[in-house]
Amino acid sequence: MPTPTWAGGQPQDPRELIAQSVPTAPLLRSKRHAVQTKGTVAESQYRVIAYTRVSSLEQAESRGGLDAQLSTIQDAAIQRGWTLVHVSEDAGVSGGCGWQDRPALSDAVARMERREADLLVVSRLDRLSRSVSDFSALLDRAQRKRWRIAILDAGVDTSTPVGELVANILASFAQFERKLIGQRTREAMAAKRAAGFHMGRRSTLPATTASRINDERQQGRTLQQIADGLNRDNIPTGQGGRRWYSATVNAILAKPRE
């Protein structure tokens, strides 16, 4: 299949073709055009939950990506007159796992279904999901439970048929990109290992901290409870970070004990 091109002959991203061929509506009407009908909430009165996510522990510790996502959502809330009622943050959690396996997203969904907010907002679709099947399941749940998702970078609202279509198409591309990135990363790491290189930073976590984590887990504490205790005691992570997350604790538990 030939690569789509602009009229000038330059390659065109397939998503640009989709955006041109699908008549997308604005994410939400501006405040002065918002119409409140019986049983609905005017746009300027929306209560929103922000959801942010980064995949790696390094990103979680630096907080650059998390803060940038939240800033984008806060700016949109100010522009549209939304009230930000809660921020759900999954730090160091892959977008490829199911939404039920992400603590903060599961909590956000529960809050939406308790009618604590009118809209779940993400800065980019790939922050919400990188799996077509997972996104479809989440979208279906939102429709059945009568709550909405707004995806800022795509400019769509999943409560409309067009918004649902565009979001599903973008989810397909997100999954495709994730698989490509994963394949390239595995190939690069395999080549490095074959050449004798050590992969990743070396952990400096004391054996006493690792033992504490394993002991507390055996006592029945959750990953988040263990992380909270380490944070209260100001214990640094194995990479020198100042904050522990459930994913950081899980990474320690996954390592074989010496």
Side-chain angles (χ1 to χ4, degrees):
M1 178 177 176
T3 302
T5 59
W6 296 100
Q10 297 179 347
Q12 184 175 359
D13 190 317
R15 283 168 289 192
E16 294 290 342
L17 291 178
I18 293 168
Q20 294 171 11
S21 61
V22 178
T24 59
L27 169 64
L28 291 168
R29 291 167 293 188
S30 67
K31 183 174 180 180
R32 70 176 183 273
H33 290 116
V35 178
Q36 184 173 11
T37 59
K38 186 176 182 180
T40 66
V41 179
E43 177 189 346
S44 61
Q45 298 176 351
Y46 282 158
R47 300 162 302 156
V48 304
I49 290 176
Y51 175 69
T52 62
R53 182 189 65 79
V54 291
S55 300
S56 71
L57 299 180
E58 289 81 2
Q59 291 172 320
E61 291 174 358
S62 73
R63 296 203 58 81
L66 292 169
D67 291 344
Q69 292 171 51
L70 181 56
S71 178
T72 297
I73 296 171
Q74 288 173 328
D75 288 345
I78 292 172
Q79 292 170 6
R80 294 170 171 85
W82 297 340
T83 300
L84 183 60
V85 297
H86 183 74
V87 177
S88 291
E89 176 187 294
D90 273 321
V93 180
S94 171
C97 63
W99 68 265
Q100 302 96 326
D101 298 324
R102 286 181 264 164
L105 183 53
S106 296
D107 177 68
V109 170
R111 289 173 181 271
M112 294 300 299
E113 294 177 0
R114 291 197 298 266
R115 300 295 184 262
E116 295 180 13
D118 307 297
L119 199 63
L120 177 63
V121 184
V122 293
S123 62
R124 303 199 312 271
L125 176 60
D126 63 0
R127 299 303 85 195
L128 184 63
S129 182
R130 285 183 176 271
S131 164
V132 174
S133 59
D134 178 63
F135 176 73
S136 296
L138 186 59
L139 184 58
D140 178 67
R141 186 182 183 99
Q143 291 170 335
R144 286 188 289 104
K145 300 292 186 176
R146 302 182 68 81
W147 52 273
R148 304 166 61 184
I149 303 170
I151 305 163
L152 297 180
D153 73 327
V156 295
D157 175 349
T158 59
S159 67
T160 67
V162 170
E164 180 183 345
L165 171 63
V166 174
N168 273 294
I169 292 173
L170 292 174
S172 297
F173 277 106
Q175 176 174 291
F176 174 67
E177 289 175 343
R178 173 174 169 267
K179 289 184 176 180
L180 281 182
I181 291 170
Q183 179 181 345
R184 292 167 183 163
T185 301
R186 287 191 297 272
E187 290 173 350
M189 292 182 67
K192 288 287 187 180
R193 282 193 294 265
F197 287 93
H198 172 77
M199 302 305 298
R201 291 188 291 173
R202 297 185 183 277
S203 175
T204 58
L205 189 72
T208 53
T209 303
S211 296
R212 167 178 169 169
I213 291 171
N214 281 278
D215 291 345
E216 291 186 5
R217 186 59 169 169
Q218 290 176 2
Q219 292 167 11
R221 295 188 181 179
T222 66
L223 299 178
Q224 191 59 56
Q225 287 172 338
I226 297 173
D228 290 342
L230 293 167
N231 289 329
R232 282 195 300 271
D233 294 340
N234 295 316
I235 296 176
T237 68
Q239 306 298 340
R242 293 176 295 177
R243 185 169 181 80
W244 288 83
Y245 299 92
S246 58
T248 324
V249 173
N250 194 45
I252 301 300
L253 292 169
K255 293 181 179 179
R257 301 188 67 173
E258 297 180 354

